[in-house]
Structure formats: structure tokens, C-alpha cells
Amino acid sequence: MEQLNVGILGWGTVGCGVIEILQSHREEIKKRLGRELVLKKVADIDLERPRPVSLPREILTRDAKAVIEDPDIDIVVELIGGIEPARSFIMKALERGKHVVTANKALLAHHGNELFDFARKHQRIIAYEASVAGGIPFIKSLREGLAANNIDTVFGILNGTANFILTRMRESGLTFQEALKEAQSRGYAEADPRLDIEGIDTAHKLAITAAIAFNMSIVFDSIYVEGISGIDPLDIQFGEEFGYVLKLLAIARLGEGGVELRVHPTFIPSGHVLAGVRGAYNAVHVHGDAVGHVMLYGLGAGMMPTGSAVVADLMDLARDIAQGIHCRLPALGSYELNPIPVKPMDEVVTCYYFRFSAVDQPGVLSKISGILGRNNISISAVIQKGRHIGGAVPIVMVTHEAVESSVRRAIEEIDRLDVVRAKTQLIRIENLPVNYSEV
Amino acid sequence: MEQLNVGILGWGTVGCGVIEILQSHREEIKKRLGRELVLKKVADIDLERPRPVSLPREILTRDAKAVIEDPDIDIVVELIGGIEPARSFIMKALERGKHVVTANKALLAHHGNELFDFARKHQRIIAYEASVAGGIPFIKSLREGLAANNIDTVFGILNGTANFILTRMRESGLTFQEALKEAQSRGYAEADPRLDIEGIDTAHKLAITAAIAFNMSIVFDSIYVEGISGIDPLDIQFGEEFGYVLKLLAIARLGEGGVELRVHPTFIPSGHVLAGVRGAYNAVHVHGDAVGHVMLYGLGAGMMPTGSAVVADLMDLARDIAQGIHCRLPALGSYELNPIPVKPMDEVVTCYYFRFSAVDQPGVLSKISGILGRNNISISAVIQKGRHIGGAVPIVMVTHEAVESSVRRAIEEIDRLDVVRAKTQLIRIENLPVNYSEV
């Protein structure tokens, strides 16, 4: 029985998960592969820090080159994260004939196109299941399982940190700062949480997802991104009264004029399956023309779930290598990518939730709705809560479908009114059908 | 560019879906595969009946042999269903060097072990994504995507007909017969609905699922199977009062003493994601030691969803054939199957819901609970609804965990009491954690 040798760059949380699985599941993996996956070398700049898994001294190194240049290593697992040196390491590994497994969504979002090209030229594979939705076998499902479909929409809750914070804000009325602090103390959020809370991590994953779903290049820079740090628990409560739950949603929708790619706080109907995804869980909802609606749900991060996805990639690659295959599948699911323009955010049509902070006096509502009307924005519901004669009160509105650029123009005008006392809160709504069944 | 030739046996509903996808997605499939999938021949005994897709006369035949023996055909798709002649046709196709795609869960449940052996001997593949959970890429997720896990439990709603009926009974208070009639008139249930409503179809799928999840042989005969035809809407309502929703659940749980394999109406907490799966939808919930909880959701039947799974298999096979591969993956996910005994139903430990029809007189509850107590069954809640002095009233009970054999013994004894006027209704409960998140 041949063995396959694996080298790991980056002995962090996910690295520990991969090592733990390779160690404790050695027998099962051998039975499933018909060969052994052997951990040959692990490189990290810090070898001393305490970790949940231990390794024999002789396979540890501080030198990434010792992994990349080891002629016995068949597959290099990049778990350093970030752009450099991860990118250079991956390219060097490919040049030396190694296949690569990575969980690095930031790198793929920014440099995936060139890296996949580079891998193809070297007849090597970059596997990246762990880069989106952690333990959920989402890349495989989308690229292979649903390959018979033309996919038109993907909705995803792709960041467990943001979802945890929104869940706590909703269920316990915490402010954003309180919920963030709790997420940090529980280890769900980093000391510098910007990537997670500002939607950037979600956008990285959306860029990769859309490329596979629509067989297009990875475009990160054209994604509209808005995070959750400006969310007030008040809006979550008002949304609730209209039957909505707030999620940080990744949206990819193919339509006339191109593809919408956007990440922003989104109200979705509380009866929709995605609304029930609580805490650190992730979920992705895909619509394909043949399969209809499909949803996948699970943990999108963490040592063991992400380790599960990395090792699944290792096993897939091991099966390919065993058969002497270079490239069973094109990286983004197609040998020919479609030139699909990204629809400018200004042209997006959706429904909106507004919270105006207006002086409580007669005629205010008429002024606001007049401006909305002149911008072709029609209102489907209004709530005015509380009274505070002469002071500011929240006026909450939900609209029918409107064009983003008109909405922005209207809100700018409204915010200049002297009866309006604070910046209007704007949250987009996706009126997803609550149940796809005909029942 | 090479092409791959496909022959189809059985031009029924799923056949039409496969043909529709091959016809309308020809270009996309070509781009994704780097080669063309060409429909070479379609065999059916009835070529005249009107169908939603049309085919050129010259590729149609009434003779299955014309497909199986065509030397140009690379892959044979078996969509006849049932045991014979499907089984013989598949074996003949394998003998002639063709790979096979099938959606035939009954055949695999009964003869999968021998068919997979036979395929392996002929170095050919039997692909069967469509046999479980229709359009959901479940087999691929379980066998490849979660391959790094030791899986311990699978819970599935695997029959859309039964789920539709239970949804209608719950939401509109229909009787079983009324809901079945509606399912039939909507095309969700066959004229002879026994396979669906008696749990047999679900058990076929569970046999296949468990074999992959636990890397064991397919064992159909040892599965405990109970259908939904005996369900009274009354029990659905009472269950609701205890916070439960009734589902026809496929359960596979690995534990000490072997694996539990059972299909029966099951109360699950109404807050669990599976409880929200309505109508003709399917869902599978898997727990693996690395990934944690994963759920997949989508349409489990129908022309296009099942067609989506069949064509995904065709594309997978086409990629293998393009690379000259015989057997990239063992049929059940492992080269070595584990000898796992199936736990006898008598030894299963779970919670129970009972509805006793007892005479409304003092001392009855004490008699019943006395018998339960002597059989080590402890009660967690009781409801007695209505009063009908001298007549029979329902007494509804929910128990803590108890052993199945003790429960049966107790119920037999209770049903012999002269104060008990009808057979006791027994429904098992799975107290699944409502949310797996730590929130």
C-alpha cells in the first residue's frame, strides 16, 4: 500500500484540527482511501506555544521551505491565512509539483484567478473546500453535486461571528458592542474583528461561491459590502414587528444585466429556514433550475469543522493522485468561464426598511413620503412608535421594490430636512418565499 | 473533443428529467466537462404515451438489449425501478464494460451488496446519487464531503409523499385518508402508495445511507419499519401540546451494541430544523465527530430534482472515464466494510408518547401508571382531555427514556385492562437538541 505524504504550513487552530483528524482517524482514512495519509512535516514560526495536539519534534520546522521543498511531500496544506507569504508559498509548492489544499478565502478572493491558472499550468490542483462554509461540504455540492444545474441565486449566512452577534442582539437585546464583547470572550471573534463584522470575510466567501455557481472569474472588488457594526438593536426589534429577522447575508443573483453580488445586513422573513440559523452556524441556500431549492447547514468555522473540510480535500486529492490524475475538475467547475458583468449596486432593485428620526409634529410624514414618492419609492407599511412632542421619534417604514440609486437620492434629501434629526437607518429586505413547498 | 455516449433504460418521469437536462444544458455540460454527453439511445416498452420531452425517433427502442449491447454506449442509466428486470439489465451492462447510473433505491437496498461487488469485479462503477434524497447532493456529501468524519447519527426525512401527508394533517387537521387522497390528486402519491406511506421507501434509503455513513454492508431486512397509515390527527394535535411535530423519520444511530436502524413516525421538538421541513421536501441531518451537525435540505423526488442528481452522476462518471479511471471511490465509501450488528428493536432505548383510550373513572390512571412503573417506564407528563363519565377518554402520556421491549410488554398488559377500550397509540419521541449552537 502506497502512502501519501502531507506537509502543513501553519500550526494554528485549523492546523490542529487537521492534525487531530489525521492522528485519530488514521485507520478509517486508510480504509476509505486504500492508502495512508502520512503527516510528514509541519511548519510554523512559533513551535513553543501550547496547543491542543502534540507532534513528534522531528516533523516540526520553523522553515516553510523545508515543507515546500521536501521531495517526499505530495500535498502541501496552506493554513497560514492572509495574502503573503501564503501566496508565494502556494506558488512555490505548485512549481515543485505539489498539490495544494487551502482554507484561505482572503487569498482566493484576491488572487484566486491567477493562482488557479498557475496551478493548471503546472498540472496541479488547489483544493479549497474549507475556504467557504467551513465543515459544510458546500464547494463539492455546488461544483459537483449541482453541476447539472444552471444556478441563479445563492443566499448565504457565511460568517459565524456576525451571526452569533446578531443572534445575541435579537434574542437578548444586547447592543452590538455588548454582543461583540461576548463573542470575543467566547472565542467566536478575533481581537481585531473587522474582517468578520464589516462583512469582508463574507464577501471573500461570496466571491468564491459566485465564481463556482455561475462559472465566472472571481471578482472581489465589485462586491458591495456593508457590515453589521452600525446595527442598533432597535432595528432588529422593529424588523421583528414586520415579521423579519436580521441576518448578514451574502447574496448572489443572476439576472438580466449581470449578477448582483452584495453582502449587507438583510431582513428576511422569520419563517424562512435561513432565519432559524442561530449562533455560530452557517447556511447556504442555492436555487438551481433543475434541483429547485437546496439548503446546506452546519458549522462554518472552528478547529474540527474546518479540519473536516481540509481532510476531505486531502482524501479527494489522494484519490486523484492514486489514479495518476492531474486535474479531474476545473478549479471553478468549468473549462470556460462566462464573462458576466457585476450589476452596479445603484441598479439593484429590492425592498427597504427605513428608520427615520423625525421631529414629532404634524406634516412630517407627509414631507418624507412626498420625497419617497417623487423618487418612485412606494411604501408598504409604516409604524410610528411613541410620542415625544417637539422631540425626535422613530418612524419606521417598509417599502415595495425600489431602485437603490433612487433610494439613496431620497434618503439624502430626507436627511437634509430640518425635521429629521439623525441619519436615517436603511436596511435592505429580501422577501424570500417562506416555504418553497406548494403546501 | 471526445464525447461520451449515454443510454437510458426507462423513459418515465425521471427519464424525462434527465433527457430535458441533457437537451437544454448541453452547452453548459460541455463547458463543465470539457466533452459532450450525448444521448445515444432510450429504451422503454411504451414509446407512444405522451411525455413532456420529445426525442428523435431513431434513438428510441423497445428493446433494452439495444441499449445494453450497443458498443458505442459508455454509460447506461437504469430508471426502470423495481428489482427485475432492472437488476439483470444492470449486471449485463456492467459485463459489457458499461458504467451504470441508477436511481433505484429498492434494488440497491435488496441487492446493492452483490451489485457493487459485481461492478468492482468488472472494474466498473454503479453511481447512485439519485437513490437517496433526490436532488440533494447527499450521497456525495456523505461519502466524500464528510469522509474525514466518524459519523454516529443520521436522521432523515426521506419520503416527500409521507411528509406531505403529515404536513397536511398537521396544518389543516385532515385525516390520513383525506391527506393521502390530496397527495394522490396532486401527483405526490402513487395510485398504490404503500411503499411511501408504510415507510418501506424510507427504509430502502436508510439502508443505503447507513451503509455509507458507517462503512457497513447494506442491510435492509434488519430495519424496523412502521408507516404513517395508522396516524390519527388527534395524536398530531396532542403532540403539539407537548411541543412536538410528527415526522416519518429514518434513524441510524451507532452506539454500543451496534447500530439502530429504524423508520417510524417520530415526534421531534417543534424548534428543531427538521420540524420545519414541510410538504414534499426532504432533509437529512448528520452528526460527525469532526464536523458536528450538518443538515441538507431540498426536494427528494420529482422529474427535475431527481434528473439533477442523475446528470451529476453522469458528469462525475464522464470525468472519471475521461481520465481512464475505473474506480476512484469504493461504492460504499470504504475498501473495508465494518461488521456492525444491527441492534434489535427490542433493545432500543427512547422516549415514548402514549394515548390510552380509558374509561373515565377514578383509579384508571393509577392502574396504568402502576403497570408502567413495574416495567421501569417513568412518566414525564400526562394530559387528560375532556370528561366523559363512564365512557372512554384519551389519556396522553410522555415518558422518559425506556426500553422498547419493556414498553411493548407494558402496553400489552394495559390494553388487556377492562377499563381500556381501544388499542393504545404509541409514538416514539426523539428529543433532538433544538439548537446545536451554544447561544
Side-chain angles (χ1 to χ4, degrees):
Chain A
M1 184 193 288
E2 272 178 80
Q3 65 176 52
L4 281 158
N5 295 320
V6 176
I8 295 179
L9 302 175
W11 189 16
T13 304
V14 177
C16 286
V18 173
I19 292 162
E20 162 69 25
I21 295 171
L22 291 177
Q23 286 176 346
S24 63
H25 292 49
R26 217 181 123 201
E27 285 308 310
E28 292 84 355
I29 291 173
K30 198 158 70 171
K31 287 182 191 172
R32 288 173 192 167
L33 287 183
R35 66 194 56 223
E36 228 174 319
L37 280 183
V38 176
L39 187 58
K40 190 83 196 306
K41 267 185 192 133
V42 175
D44 199 287
I45 38 170
D46 174 1
L47 299 177
E48 305 310 326
R49 150 166 69 98
R51 292 171 165 96
V53 295
S54 60
L55 285 170
R57 202 78 222 173
E58 62 271 21
I59 75 164
L60 291 171
T61 173
R62 278 192 184 78
D63 182 13
K65 263 203 263 173
V67 173
I68 296 166
E69 297 183 358
D70 183 335
D72 288 343
I73 286 179
D74 303 288
I75 310 173
V76 170
V77 182
E78 182 276 304
L79 299 172
I80 304 166
I83 307 299
E84 284 295 350
R87 180 169 158 270
S88 310
F89 287 167
I90 287 177
M91 292 174 83
K92 280 184 196 144
L94 293 167
E95 277 175 334
R96 293 188 171 259
K98 285 140 187 25
H99 297 284
V100 170
V101 176
T102 180
N104 195 332
K105 51 257 179 186
L107 178 61
L108 293 180
H110 288 284
H111 298 283
N113 298 319
E114 67 189 71
L115 284 170
F116 290 140
D117 273 353
F118 193 81
R120 194 177 39 75
K121 273 179 204 137
H122 288 83
Q123 300 198 301
R124 288 299 174 268
I125 297 167
I126 300 174
Y128 56 98
E129 178 68 67
S131 68
V132 183
I136 306 171
F138 174 58
I139 302 290
K140 183 174 276 291
S141 294
L142 192 62
R143 196 170 56 155
E144 303 172 48
L146 302 177
N149 287 267
N150 288 340
I151 288 167
D152 52 50
T153 39
V154 182
F155 296 103
I157 295 171
L158 296 175
N159 185 285
T161 307
N163 201 56
F164 176 88
I165 291 172
L166 291 176
T167 305
R168 292 296 288 142
M169 289 176 73
R170 177 192 179 198
E171 296 182 3
S172 303
L174 302 187
T175 64
F176 171 78
Q177 285 302 337
E178 288 165 346
L180 170 62
K181 224 169 150 184
E182 191 184 313
Q184 283 170 324
S185 75
R186 291 218 207 175
Y188 288 157
E190 319 256 339
D192 177 356
R194 275 175 301 173
L195 284 181
D196 294 324
I197 62 173
E198 296 307 346
I200 302 158
D201 173 78
T202 301
H204 289 152
K205 293 162 177 168
L206 179 62
I208 299 166
T209 299
I212 306 168
F214 310 129
N215 298 146
M216 60 190 279
S217 296
I218 298 173
V219 285
F220 173 71
D221 293 336
S222 326
I223 298 178
Y224 175 81
V225 188
E226 197 183 300
I228 58 165
S229 57
I231 296 295
D232 191 312
L234 199 61
D235 295 303
I236 297 180
Q237 285 160 34
F238 283 136
E240 212 83 31
E241 294 186 33
F242 290 109
Y244 294 121
V245 170
L246 191 69
K247 293 290 175 192
L248 179 62
L249 219 60
I251 300 171
R253 184 189 272 125
L254 197 61
E256 279 175 53
V259 61
E260 288 174 28
L261 294 179
R262 43 194 174 105
V263 173
H264 51 67
T266 312
F267 277 127
I268 58 174
S270 57
H272 191 274
V273 275
L274 287 178
V277 177
R278 294 173 64 239
Y281 274 81
N282 280 19
V284 206
H285 181 275
V286 176
H287 184 264
D289 61 349
V291 76
H293 300 280
V294 169
M295 193 191 70
L296 291 87
Y297 165 95
L299 284 168
M303 165 174 151
M304 297 306 287
T306 311
S308 167
V310 169
V311 177
D313 269 351
L314 283 173
M315 294 174 74
D316 248 9
L317 275 175
R319 295 189 203 279
D320 287 351
I321 295 169
Q323 304 274 358
I325 309 175
H326 306 301
C327 187
R328 192 175 168 275
L329 263 170
L332 297 172
S334 178
Y335 289 99
E336 207 176 305
L337 299 181
N338 302 316
I340 305 176
V342 179
K343 214 168 176 174
M345 191 61 194
D346 267 358
E347 296 173 18
V348 163
V349 175
T350 187
C351 299
Y352 294 81
Y353 160 101
F354 303 130
R355 175 167 52 82
F356 304 106
S357 298
V359 171
D360 189 12
Q361 66 184 42
V364 170
L365 192 58
S366 141
K367 274 188 189 166
I368 290 175
S369 52
I371 294 173
L372 293 174
R374 283 197 299 281
N375 284 284
N376 283 314
I377 300 159
S378 68
I379 300 162
S380 79
V382 186
I383 302 177
Q384 179 176 334
K385 282 281 166 164
R387 299 235 44 188
H388 183 243
I389 308 298
V393 289
I395 301 175
V396 180
M397 261 181 211
V398 168
T399 75
H400 291 291
E401 285 200 334
V403 182
E404 176 86 11
S405 58
S406 310
V407 168
R408 293 205 191 183
R409 205 178 315 121
I411 297 302
E412 263 172 42
E413 195 178 329
I414 289 167
D415 283 358
R416 281 196 305 267
L417 293 175
D418 55 4
V419 293
V420 168
R421 291 296 159 87
K423 223 172 152 304
T424 295
Q425 179 67 283
L426 176 165
I427 296 173
R428 295 171 194 85
I429 298 170
E430 286 291 325
N431 282 314
L432 308 175
V434 164
N435 203 291
Y436 304 104
S437 188
E438 282 167 42
V439 169
Chain B
M1 185 191 289
E2 273 179 79
Q3 65 175 52
L4 281 158
N5 295 320
V6 177
I8 296 180
L9 302 175
W11 190 16
T13 304
V14 177
C16 286
V18 173
I19 293 163
E20 163 69 23
I21 295 171
L22 291 177
Q23 286 176 345
S24 63
H25 292 48
R26 218 182 121 202
E27 284 308 310
E28 291 85 355
I29 291 173
K30 199 159 68 173
K31 286 184 194 171
R32 287 173 193 167
L33 287 183
R35 64 196 55 224
E36 226 175 320
L37 279 184
V38 176
L39 187 58
K40 190 80 195 310
K41 268 186 191 136
V42 175
D44 198 289
I45 38 170
D46 174 0
L47 299 177
E48 305 310 326
R49 152 165 67 98
R51 291 173 166 95
V53 294
S54 60
L55 284 169
R57 200 80 223 170
E58 63 271 21
I59 76 163
L60 291 171
T61 173
R62 278 193 184 76
D63 182 12
K65 262 203 266 176
V67 174
I68 296 166
E69 296 182 0
D70 184 332
D72 288 344
I73 287 179
D74 303 288
I75 310 174
V76 170
V77 182
E78 182 276 306
L79 299 172
I80 305 166
I83 308 298
E84 283 296 348
R87 180 168 158 270
S88 309
F89 287 168
I90 288 177
M91 292 174 82
K92 278 184 197 143
L94 293 167
E95 276 175 337
R96 290 184 174 264
K98 284 138 187 30
H99 297 283
V100 170
V101 175
T102 181
N104 195 332
K105 51 257 178 184
L107 178 60
L108 292 181
H110 287 285
H111 298 284
N113 297 320
E114 67 189 70
L115 284 170
F116 290 140
D117 273 352
F118 193 80
R120 194 177 39 76
K121 272 177 205 135
H122 288 84
Q123 299 197 302
R124 288 299 173 269
I125 296 167
I126 300 174
Y128 56 99
E129 178 67 68
S131 68
V132 182
I136 307 170
F138 174 59
I139 302 288
K140 182 174 277 290
S141 294
L142 192 62
R143 196 170 54 154
E144 301 171 50
L146 302 176
N149 288 265
N150 288 340
I151 288 167
D152 53 50
T153 40
V154 182
F155 296 102
I157 296 171
L158 295 175
N159 185 283
T161 309
N163 201 56
F164 176 89
I165 292 171
L166 291 176
T167 305
R168 292 295 289 140
M169 289 175 73
R170 177 190 178 198
E171 296 183 2
S172 303
L174 302 187
T175 64
F176 171 79
Q177 285 301 336
E178 289 164 347
L180 170 61
K181 225 169 148 182
E182 192 184 313
Q184 283 169 325
S185 75
R186 292 219 208 173
Y188 289 157
E190 318 256 341
D192 178 356
R194 274 174 301 174
L195 284 180
D196 294 324
I197 63 173
E198 297 307 345
I200 302 158
D201 174 77
T202 301
H204 288 152
K205 293 161 177 168
L206 179 61
I208 298 166
T209 299
I212 306 168
F214 311 128
N215 298 145
M216 60 190 279
S217 296
I218 298 172
V219 286
F220 173 71
D221 293 336
S222 326
I223 298 178
Y224 176 81
V225 188
E226 198 182 300
I228 60 165
S229 58
I231 296 296
D232 192 310
L234 199 63
D235 295 304
I236 296 180
Q237 286 160 34
F238 284 136
E240 213 83 31
E241 295 187 32
F242 290 108
Y244 293 122
V245 170
L246 192 69
K247 293 290 174 192
L248 180 62
L249 218 61
I251 300 170
R253 183 188 274 125
L254 197 60
E256 277 174 54
V259 60
E260 288 175 28
L261 294 179
R262 44 195 175 103
V263 173
H264 51 67
T266 311
F267 277 126
I268 58 173
S270 57
H272 191 273
V273 275
L274 287 178
V277 176
R278 293 173 65 240
Y281 275 80
N282 280 19
V284 206
H285 180 276
V286 176
H287 184 265
D289 60 350
V291 76
H293 299 279
V294 168
M295 193 190 71
L296 291 88
Y297 166 95
L299 283 168
M303 166 174 151
M304 297 306 288
T306 312
S308 166
V310 169
V311 177
D313 269 351
L314 282 173
M315 293 174 75
D316 247 7
L317 275 174
R319 296 189 201 279
D320 287 351
I321 295 169
Q323 304 273 359
I325 310 176
H326 306 301
C327 187
R328 193 174 168 276
L329 264 170
L332 297 172
S334 177
Y335 289 100
E336 206 176 305
L337 299 181
N338 304 315
I340 305 176
V342 179
K343 214 168 176 176
M345 191 61 192
D346 267 358
E347 296 173 17
V348 164
V349 174
T350 187
C351 300
Y352 294 82
Y353 159 101
F354 303 130
R355 175 168 52 84
F356 304 105
S357 299
V359 172
D360 189 12
Q361 67 183 42
V364 169
L365 191 58
S366 141
K367 272 186 190 167
I368 290 175
S369 52
I371 294 172
L372 292 174
R374 284 196 299 280
N375 284 282
N376 283 313
I377 301 158
S378 67
I379 300 162
S380 79
V382 187
I383 301 179
Q384 181 177 333
K385 282 278 169 167
R387 300 237 39 191
H388 184 245
I389 308 299
V393 290
I395 300 174
V396 180
M397 260 181 211
V398 167
T399 75
H400 290 291
E401 286 200 332
V403 181
E404 175 86 12
S405 58
S406 309
V407 167
R408 295 205 189 180
R409 206 179 315 120
I411 297 302
E412 265 174 41
E413 197 180 330
I414 289 167
D415 283 357
R416 280 196 306 267
L417 293 176
D418 54 4
V419 293
V420 169
R421 290 297 157 87
K423 223 171 151 305
T424 296
Q425 180 67 282
L426 175 164
I427 296 174
R428 294 170 195 85
I429 298 170
E430 286 290 327
N431 283 315
L432 308 175
V434 163
N435 203 291
Y436 303 104
S437 189
E438 280 168 44
V439 171

